Amino acid sequence: MLVNAANITEKKYRKLTIQISLDCMSFINTDTLNNKVLELDSVAFDVASPHFNIEDTLVQTMKEHPFFKAAFDEVEVLYDNHLSTFVPDPFFDENYLGSYMQYNVKVFETDTFDFDTLTIAPIHNVYVPYANINNIFIDHFGTFTFKHVSTVLVSRLLERSRNIDEKKMFVHLATNHFEIVVVQNQHLLLYNTFEYKSPEDLIYYLLFAAEQLNMNPESFKLEFLGNIDEEDDYFKIAYKYIRNVSFLDVSDLQSTNSLYHSENLKHFILLQS
């Protein structure tokens, strides 16, 4: 969505995409005319500080960081939290968004609910955006669009499963949590997010999910993305128990930016929004 109703002579051909959680924020500046990533940066919030406040921190970050002084035609915000659930179209009713959430996470009467519609599959993603953060972005940008990170992740992985009849598992590893996505020819078989503290936590959930979906560790394919590399203990333990382990192919992304392979894996969601 356009930040303002600029005519073609006023367009900057720049898009700002922000991925935000309660402990960090990443953002990219994209040249929409040439589909090139111009800049990418991240800011970790000092959540350990006794005086930490997400609203104050966000306002201060946008005030000081040069990223937010530029003009953009588009601004998109990706909310990164575990407060989401996928609902098949036949069971979806936007008048009862909160009822879908209560089976997965603890919700409150004051929570605001929203949903994304996946264009590649008959699914809606119901989630809790950060209303307080939305208000800050409204004050700063005026108009912007927002969605949940899992909408981007699942949509892109479903696209990659087209005409592939075998079940494939993807694992997106973040700092304190990871997502498991299992797809089969543009059908979503599983999406879930888990907290972890050790490699043993990771492999437990991977093997449990595989067992529930009748996926044989000797034959199914597992692809990693996110903050992980071959020397990571989390990759090594998966490789020990699952025969076919690799990294997501991000060569298409690398053709649009000058980032390292590891950075394209780490910021896959942000870069694919």
Side-chain angles (χ1 to χ4, degrees):
M1 184 178 294
L2 293 179
V3 174
N4 53 57
N7 63 41
I8 194 168
T9 61
E10 297 173 322
K11 284 182 68 68
K12 306 297 181 182
Y13 298 102
R14 296 291 183 270
K15 177 183 177 182
L16 172 64
T17 309
I18 303 167
Q19 182 174 335
I20 185 166
S21 67
L22 294 180
D23 58 9
C24 66
M25 178 169 62
S26 299
F27 28 86
I28 59 171
N29 176 1
T30 306
D31 176 350
T32 58
L33 190 62
N34 299 299
N35 191 30
K36 292 288 185 181
V37 174
L38 303 177
E39 301 173 277
L40 184 151
D41 202 357
S42 298
V43 173
F45 302 146
D46 186 13
V47 296
S49 170
H51 306 294
F52 174 75
N53 176 282
I54 183 65
E55 292 92 343
D56 293 342
T57 300
L58 179 57
V59 169
Q60 192 66 22
T61 299
M62 292 195 296
K63 181 179 179 181
E64 297 176 352
H65 202 288
F67 245 83
F68 299 95
K69 300 182 187 303
F72 297 94
D73 302 310
E74 302 175 64
V75 177
E76 183 174 57
V77 176
L78 308 178
Y79 284 114
D80 188 352
N81 60 35
H82 69 286
L83 307 175
S84 69
T85 188
F86 287 94
V87 182
D89 279 4
F91 302 104
F92 179 76
D93 186 332
E94 63 180 288
N95 296 309
Y96 299 97
L97 299 182
S99 64
Y100 301 117
M101 297 296 302
Q102 66 184 356
Y103 297 106
N104 296 339
V105 297
K106 186 175 182 179
V107 295
F108 302 92
E109 291 183 1
T110 55
D111 283 336
T112 300
F113 303 100
D114 214 307
F115 67 91
D116 299 329
T117 301
L118 277 70
T119 57
I120 193 170
I123 306 172
H124 287 80
N125 188 11
V126 180
Y127 61 97
V128 179
Y130 296 127
N132 53 338
I133 293 177
N134 258 355
N135 292 334
I136 293 172
F137 286 141
I138 289 173
D139 290 342
H140 190 88
F141 298 115
T143 303
F144 66 96
T145 60
F146 65 87
K147 63 180 65 170
H148 197 268
V149 292
S150 58
T151 299
V152 179
L153 177 63
V154 169
S155 295
R156 296 300 180 240
L157 297 182
L158 283 173
E159 287 174 357
R160 290 171 179 245
S161 74
R162 182 180 285 113
N163 297 325
I164 300 176
D165 290 328
E166 63 181 359
K167 299 174 184 176
K168 180 179 285 190
M169 180 182 291
F170 298 91
V171 175
H172 176 266
L173 199 74
T175 303
N176 299 309
H177 63 90
F178 65 90
E179 286 72 45
I180 298 177
V181 183
V182 180
V183 298
Q184 182 180 28
N185 197 4
Q186 293 187 268
H187 292 284
L188 177 63
L189 304 184
L190 173 70
Y191 170 85
N192 210 341
T193 182
F194 306 90
E195 295 182 352
Y196 72 92
K197 295 183 179 179
S198 69
E200 289 72 24
D201 292 339
L202 173 72
I203 196 61
Y204 170 81
Y205 287 118
L206 295 190
L207 294 178
F208 181 76
E211 181 183 23
Q212 298 305 303
L213 293 172
N214 297 314
M215 299 172 69
N216 187 345
E218 290 294 316
S219 58
F220 82 83
K221 295 180 180 179
L222 166 62
E223 294 186 7
F224 276 105
L225 65 156
N227 192 18
I228 189 169
D229 59 43
E230 287 186 350
E231 300 305 315
D232 198 304
D233 289 340
Y234 295 93
F235 181 85
K236 290 178 180 178
I237 198 169
Y239 193 78
K240 179 179 179 181
Y241 289 96
I242 300 172
R243 179 176 294 274
N244 299 300
V245 181
S246 61
F247 293 102
L248 184 72
D249 182 5
V250 291
S251 56
D252 56 335
L253 281 180
Q254 288 187 275
S255 67
T256 67
N257 61 62
S258 57
L259 302 174
Y260 294 114
H261 178 263
S262 59
E263 292 176 301
N264 278 279
L265 282 175
K266 180 178 180 179
H267 297 289
F268 176 82
I269 296 175
L270 186 63
L271 293 166
Q272 287 278 258
S273 63

